[in-house]
Amino acid sequence: MFAGCGDVRSPGDDPRADPRDTAKVSAGAKIYAQHCAACHGATLEGQPNWRVRLPSGRLPAPPHDESGHTWHHPDNVLFGITKRGLVPPYAPPDYQSDMRGFGGKLSDDEIWAVLAYIKSHWSSRDVLDARAEMTRNAKRP
């Protein structure tokens, strides 16, 4: 879980996905288990060989733990992908993905809770520092 790095926040962080909010993280864990774990793994490990295209040409679901690339993205992008799916502006036009949007199933607050839960697993100083650097120019919503 979140290592408690004080008030250190990445410029790409949104307070609605605060990994220090234990109630939100707890709610997000339940929502993640119900709606996300089937593809992204019960422990956020993603699908095997997630960087290798399937026969369909699509990529397997990536991990959301520190071994994946989710932490590279600002919160508003993660929110948009979760709500709308992997479609423009989050992917090139005509990009094929199995990541569908959950905006019809989850409320905005539920999506933010899932993101808080996911972010609560990003605890290494290396990842947190890299995330801050990578999202330094992120636009706040």
Side-chain angles (χ1 to χ4, degrees):
M1 294 296 255
F2 191 69
C5 296
D7 288 328
V8 176
R9 286 189 37 209
S10 162
D13 285 337
D14 188 297
R16 294 172 287 186
D18 187 348
R20 297 166 296 186
D21 182 333
T22 56
K24 188 169 278 192
V25 169
S26 178
K30 292 174 184 144
I31 299 162
Y32 178 91
Q34 184 177 4
H35 295 280
C36 312
C39 293
H40 292 282
T43 59
L44 298 104
E45 74 275 13
Q47 293 176 335
N49 300 315
W50 62 276
R51 292 181 176 153
V52 179
R53 291 199 181 275
L54 300 168
S56 67
R58 296 176 180 196
L59 289 168
H64 290 317
D65 62 13
E66 291 187 350
S67 72
H69 61 79
T70 306
W71 59 267
H72 294 199
H73 303 290
D75 290 352
N76 64 326
V77 170
L78 298 175
F79 178 85
I81 291 170
T82 306
K83 184 168 182 165
R84 297 177 187 90
L86 201 50
V87 297
Y90 313 110
D94 300 321
Y95 183 80
Q96 297 295 310
S97 173
D98 291 328
M99 177 58 191
R100 59 189 171 82
F102 284 83
K105 287 191 173 212
L106 301 176
S107 70
D108 287 2
D109 287 343
E110 289 172 320
I111 293 171
W112 287 118
V114 168
L115 295 177
Y117 168 70
I118 291 169
K119 289 173 60 178
S120 75
H121 289 80
W122 304 339
S123 58
S124 75
R125 174 52 51 203
D126 288 344
V127 165
L128 295 173
D129 288 348
R131 176 173 163 78
E133 182 62 30
M134 292 178 83
T135 63
R136 189 159 318 285
N137 295 319
K139 293 180 182 174
R140 295 217 183 255

